[in-house]
Amino acid sequence: MSTGCAICGKPVETAFRPFCSKRCADVDLQRWLSDRYVVPGGEDDDENPLSEDIHRE
C-alpha cells in the first residue's frame, strides 16, 4: 500500500486517508464531479440497470 497522498505524494494523515489534507481530498472530489475521473463502462450501461432487471422478472 502506498504511504503517500493520492494527490500530492506527501505523507498521509489518518483523518484524511488516502490524502494528506482536506485540500487534497477536495481536489480529488472536484476531479470526480467535473468528470475528469470516470469509471469505464459499456455503451449499453444504464444509469440504474438494477431497477430495470427487477421490472423484467
Side-chain angles (χ1 to χ4, degrees):
M1 184 173 162
S2 172
T3 58
C5 174
I7 299 298
C8 70
K10 291 180 182 176
V12 171
E13 289 291 325
T14 304
F16 302 105
R17 184 172 278 149
F19 308 104
C20 66
S21 65
K22 178 157 177 30
R23 180 198 169 278
C24 283
D26 289 344
V27 167
D28 184 70
L29 177 61
Q30 178 58 31
R31 289 178 181 175
W32 280 104
L33 295 175
S34 65
D35 291 331
R36 192 162 164 200
Y37 294 151
V38 293
V39 177
E43 289 180 27
D44 294 331
D45 287 349
D46 293 321
E47 225 175 275
N48 195 358
L50 293 177
S51 66
E52 286 185 19
D53 290 339
I54 292 170
H55 295 295
R56 290 181 188 157
E57 293 178 5

